[in-house]
Amino acid sequence: MKCHRNPIIPGFNPDPTIAFKDGRYYLATSTFEYFPGVPIYTSVDLVDWTLIGHALNRRSQLDMRTVECSGGIYAPSLRYNERRKRWYMTAALVLKRSKMAPHDTTPNPTGFYVWSDDINDETRWSDPIYYDVTGIDQDLFFDEGNGKIWLSWATGIPDYVAPKGCYNLAVWTVEIDLKTGDSVGEPQLIRQNTSFGNHVSEGPHVYKRNGYYYLMTAEGGTETEHSEWIFRSKAGPRGPWEDCPHNPLIYNGQDKHVMQTGHMDMVEGGDGQWWAVFLAVRNQKGVLSHLGRETFLAPVEWVEGWPVVNGGRKVSLQGVVGPPRSPNTQSWTFRFTNDLTKKGWYHLRTPLKAYHRVENGHLLLKCGPHALSQDEAVAMLLQKQTTFNGVWRVEFAFSPVQMEEEAGIAVWWSKWAYCSVSIRGGKNKAELVFRKPAEHGDGFEESVWDAPSGTVTIEIKAEPSRYSFYLLSAGARTPLGMMSAHLLVRTRPWDSKFTGTFLGLFAQGYGGFGTNNLARFKSVEWQGVLGED
């Protein structure tokens, strides 16, 4: 019998959190600097997932116009509370990560929650309620035994200096007033990792089962030492905690195919079977995955009061018998309609104003004042890449009227790492430009030709190790250039390491001057292969 295929939600979908209600599973993931924030997926079988909206879908909820790469929304937690008949999503907003000077300080991440009485209608999510404590990876636990609500999160220990090569990040909890977000009493440290990986402890989730409180944490950092640990207590969500005898629950280490397993959440289905979802990456011959951190699935069994994940084995691309196996191919043609974000299109940061519209099945993008090189709300729409192997085809037309005015398509990771084909205003005529990161150094390289007139069709062939770009015209397929995939995931100090690869459609003015000139995108096609059957 065939097993389900991992990942269950491929592409950039890290930090999964899951809940079960009325025969359906609901799952949310991190979005970082992309808007709208926190996609909500639903499924009845844990394999076939449908995007139904986003918890953070308007500027009053999420204003991150100039957030840095890999800033934004971190690690949501999704819960349904039976007593209140409401859904709750809690997360953190990171606005700034870098320092202007060695003696500079960065603002702490801000934690908050939003609620909804109808998870299927994204307009019903409330505006944020903010907490009194700062940090990342917030989790809400509703103790139905006494009605108390506990917030757990990760932040540093004041005045603690971590050993060299390690980080000061530990797990805390505090009781809160749900109506205001105010703390009730003093925060308490409940988990400090002093021995595994880089000593990070983060991503807490608290559960209650058969009289025990369980604290589950991601340990060792989100790189190769990423793992998941669990502890239990009879006393309550503040501990004291007993270590699980078979910690870590999951840890793949330097595996050949799947690495960085961790940041896990668990749920009990309607049939009593428990499941775990967690992030992992599909490394490519020792190179970091340019698709980013994806959502994986494994079964959970309870043995002597402790969860055993995936039978205690390493996580692989082949899951278990039970859930159906997803199709091997993934193909679609997108004709543009007004509900773009419900179809998986994202903005880069929170837009101040509308820079696009849909007209007669075309996406019209106005040349915005911000360039791809800036930490701003660029005039750009993006769709996640979900398979290593595939072909994109994009039809668009653009006639620049100003020097350096530019519109086109990009394989996008961040402003530091992308590859684009565009039409740009030249000195005397329009130019067709192929731009990619330099193999050596930190800049970009360009190849320039005279731009063809009318509608242009660009094909991008994606492979695990590279992207190849072509101009399609009059039956001809003309190569434009190639980019090695490893250029997207270099680990320079400023690189964006928490996200993944998108296909981006963009239009930009020059020198801070936006224009009313429009780029017209007719269609986007994708034909992808998920993996071997």
Side-chain angles (χ1 to χ4, degrees), residues 88-92 110-114 129-134 138-140 150-153 174 176-178 180-183:
Y88 293 86
M89 191 287 296
T90 185
T110 303
F112 65 91
Y113 78 84
V114 293
I129 305 294
Y130 294 96
Y131 305 126
D132 287 340
V133 291
T134 60
Q138 284 75 9
D139 177 72
L140 286 175
W150 295 88
L151 169 68
S152 299
W153 77 103
V174 69
I176 65 166
D177 179 333
L178 191 64
T180 63
D182 293 348
S183 298

Side-chain angles (χ1 to χ4, degrees), residues 191-238:
R191 170 62 184 166
Q192 181 185 11
N193 170 13
T194 59
S195 60
F196 191 86
N198 62 8
H199 291 195
V200 161
S201 186
E202 59 187 339
H205 290 298
V206 176
Y207 314 89
K208 191 175 184 181
R209 181 180 184 272
N210 294 345
Y212 278 101
Y213 294 84
Y214 291 86
L215 169 65
M216 193 165 68
T217 59
E219 307 269 316
T222 193
E223 290 80 29
T224 56
E225 293 299 292
H226 205 202
S227 60
E228 196 72 22
W229 295 51
I230 198 163
F231 315 88
R232 71 182 183 185
S233 172
K234 278 283 190 180
R238 289 182 293 188

